[in-house]
Amino acid sequence: MTDSFDVLVIGAGPGGYVAAIRCAQLGLNTACIDNQINHKGEPALGGTCLNVGCIPSKALLESTEQYHKLIHSFPAHGIKTAEASVDVAIMQKRKESIVEGLTSGIAQLFKANNVTAVHGFGRLTMDNTVNVLDESGKITRTLMARHIILAPGSMPSHLPNIPFDHEFVVDSTGALNFEKVPGRLGVIGAGVIGLELGSVWSRLGSEVTLLEALDDFLALADHQIASEAKRQFAKQGMNIRLGAKVSKLSKSKGGLKIHFTEKGKESSIEVDRVIVAIGRRPATEGVVSADSGVSVDERDFILVDDECRTNVPNVWAIGDAVRGPMLAHKSSEEGMAVAERIAGGKLHVDLGIVPWVIYTSPEIAWVGQTEKEVKEAGTDIRVGSFPFAATGRARAMEEPVGFVKMIADAGTDQLLGIHMIGPHVSELVNECVLAMEYQASSEDLARTIHAHPSLSEAIHEAALAVDKRAIHRAN
Ligand code: FAD
Ligand code: AMP
């Protein structure tokens, strides 16, 4: 087997595998090194996203949402069941088979595109040389390439006083693998991952408490969307405590005690299991050796310019390991862009219009700036919003919850941010990304014909509302 390539990619997550496939499509002799193994101990491509992130979480969110609907919204449709029950083992098996199907699909795509897959831990040393290490840390191969793409991704952050025991105290990976529904579940961190995993187990009957250090709920989202989300989650029975900074954990008679300070006061709650979901950090330890010369910042992010170039010529870095949102589609887009640049082309990634989605129920999605960010920048704006309850489709679906909020520049009418909470907004937001990619105005969306009845009419009406001419609500 050749040990010299045009391109070597370290990491086969959505950043690395997409970069590798695109490089190969562009005629570059490419290898991709990855060290992920699945629950059977076999190499599994696809990184965090396919193995322990986006895909397994969405599989469980879908299963549990169906169950929740069966109990809570089917009766309104006149559909009755004698007794609903859940088999967690079958639910988990379904999740695993989805993951296996997709990860083996990447292996097939590598074969079809002539990407060489190498299993092991890749470490960049001097002169574009990468050592491949086995689990014991022994060098098994040495590879060279004209270009190196670093895509090692990220790993869960942990709290110093709260070590994982991988059974009762778990990270997101452990929380995807519970074999039975915890009675009382404490979630530390009410960010995207904490809310999604809290929702999964809450829908199955866990009594869920989320402890969030910040005083603001979902500080990244638009404040109106965040407060509607908080109201909806409270209605579902999730207990969200803000300004609750967790410090330690102790054993109690009935389970575990989480200790935290809340508005300056010491407090605690008792739970059966704990999910630590306080964010993720770059998985860069050991990926670049000191003699590679690649600069890493104090938080372990690999330093790159706007085009994902590191400070070392022909060494690139993408995805969760570099600045910008830790999202799969952002990693993939950077992977494609770097492949094009290596092959001599150009592709720009606009980090200002990366869509965000939280797959709770209702779903939350946005693209662009929040009202607070735009106002802080001193821009005059016009805002239009429209509730899903005023669309026939959401009512027919028995999901008349949430709204779309559109922010446009008051002078030019260019769209600056579109925020939504409601049914299927993970799909609806992409129309808005496209509009912003083309620097559309709210008038452009207002003049676009949207099918009736459809959820996307809420976007159309929100655009009309920017100019105070929505039809199906008073302006
Ligand atoms: P990763 O996917 O982390 O892949 C990196 C790969 O490189 C891994 O396989 C790792 O083992 C391997 N690796 C690391 N170092 C080395 C080395 N030295 N040698 C060889 N291999 C190495 N994002 C979304 O956009 N949508 C979602 O719905 C979503 N849901 C999520 C749910 C959960 C529970 C979690 C944990 C994350 C979720 N994310 C989601 C985030 C998403 O998973 C990441 O943003 C994405 O996986 C980052 O892609 P990446 O290619 O940069 O890195
Ligand atoms: P995200 O970055 O979306 O994964 O969210 C992680 C959340 O965890 C953030 O909202 C943090 O404020 C929160 N967080 C971090 N440390 C703590 C802590 N010690 N106690 C409670 N919440 C925390």
Side-chain angles (χ1 to χ4, degrees), residues 10-16 33-36 47-49 52-54 57-58 120-122 151-154 172 193 280 287 319-320 326-329 331 359:
I10 298 184
I33 310 167
D34 190 89
N35 67 342
Q36 185 99 23
T48 303
C49 177
V52 290
C54 326
S57 61
K58 264 80 264 179
F121 185 90
S154 63
S172 55
I193 293 175
R280 296 179 62 80
V287 179
D320 279 12
M326 285 184 163
L327 293 169
H329 41 283
S331 301
Y359 293 81

Side-chain angles (χ1 to χ4, degrees), residues 67-389:
Y67 175 65
H68 200 260
K69 276 189 182 161
L70 181 65
I71 297 169
H72 297 280
S73 50
F74 277 31
H77 289 272
I79 302 169
K80 291 179 193 154
T81 46
E83 205 179 319
S85 66
V86 167
D87 187 327
V88 176
I90 293 180
M91 206 176 267
Q92 293 287 19
K93 251 203 167 128
R94 187 189 91 98
K95 177 202 78 181
E96 273 153 25
S97 76
I98 293 165
V99 168
E100 269 176 46
L102 290 173
T103 53
S104 59
I106 306 294
Q108 282 161 20
L109 287 172
F110 272 9
K111 275 201 190 110
N113 286 283
N114 290 324
V115 174
T116 304
V118 179
H119 182 69
F121 185 90
R123 173 170 299 157
L124 177 66
T125 64
M126 284 187 288
D127 305 326
N128 287 12
T129 303
V130 172
N131 288 327
V132 182
L133 285 66
D134 66 13
E135 281 98 76
S136 68
K138 203 176 97 206
I139 297 175
T140 54
R141 284 178 76 177
T142 297
L143 309 174
M144 290 187 70
R146 281 198 297 119
H147 289 267
I148 312 285
I149 304 176
L150 304 169
S154 63
M155 51 167 47
S157 299
H158 65 277
L159 284 164
N161 296 330
I162 306 190
F164 298 118
D165 65 12
H166 304 294
E167 188 179 356
F168 298 103
V169 186
V170 298
D171 59 13
S172 55
T173 304
L176 290 167
N177 292 329
F178 286 155
E179 284 163 6
K180 58 179 194 193
V181 181
R184 297 163 301 173
L185 178 63
V187 182
I188 307 175
V192 178
I193 293 175
L195 283 167
E196 289 188 358
L197 294 174
S199 295
V200 163
W201 298 106
S202 163
R203 290 169 190 169
L204 296 180
S206 286
E207 190 188 299
V208 175
T209 305
L210 291 120
L211 300 168
E212 167 56 51
L214 298 178
D215 293 328
D216 283 341
F217 180 60
L218 279 180
L220 271 179
D222 187 88
H223 70 282
Q224 268 175 288
I225 301 284
S227 58
E228 174 64 9
K230 188 157 181 284
R231 208 173 65 84
Q232 293 293 339
F233 299 151
K235 254 171 72 178
Q236 289 164 20
M238 283 201 282
N239 183 11
I240 301 170
R241 293 175 71 163
L242 299 177
K245 197 165 179 6
V246 174
S247 49
K248 61 177 188 191
L249 202 64
S250 64
K251 282 221 165 87
S252 65
K253 246 197 216 152
L256 294 161
K257 214 177 215 184
I258 310 179
H259 301 263
F260 53 96
T261 46
E262 195 176 32
K263 304 192 174 79
K265 275 200 208 135
E266 295 297 322
S267 194
S268 66
I269 55 164
E270 218 176 84
V271 294
D272 301 305
R273 298 218 179 188
V274 179
I275 303 174
V276 181
I278 57 159
R280 296 179 62 80
R281 63 193 170 93
T284 46
E285 197 184 327
V287 179
V288 285
S289 69
D291 54 10
S292 72
V294 173
S295 296
V296 174
D297 75 9
E298 65 293 344
R299 289 160 60 218
D300 291 343
F301 285 97
I302 300 168
L303 290 168
V304 288
D305 67 8
D306 287 350
E307 299 197 323
C308 294
R309 286 186 175 82
T310 70
N311 58 315
V312 175
N314 293 350
V315 178
W316 311 73
I318 58 172
D320 279 12
V322 304
R323 83 285 172 270
M326 285 184 163
L327 293 169
H329 41 283
K330 176 264 192 184
S331 301
S332 298
E333 206 55 31
E334 285 182 335
M336 298 247 247
V338 166
E340 296 291 342
R341 283 174 203 137
I342 289 173
K346 270 191 187 155
L347 202 156
H348 174 66
V349 180
D350 185 350
L351 294 181
I353 52 167
V354 175
W356 284 79
V357 178
I358 310 178
Y359 293 81
T360 44
S361 177
E363 291 182 342
I364 299 164
W366 71 90
V367 55
Q369 294 169 276
T370 63
E371 187 172 343
K372 187 167 168 246
E373 285 168 339
V374 177
K375 283 189 171 156
E376 277 171 3
T379 314
D380 285 337
I381 52 171
R382 293 196 302 166
V383 178
S385 62
F386 194 82
F388 283 102

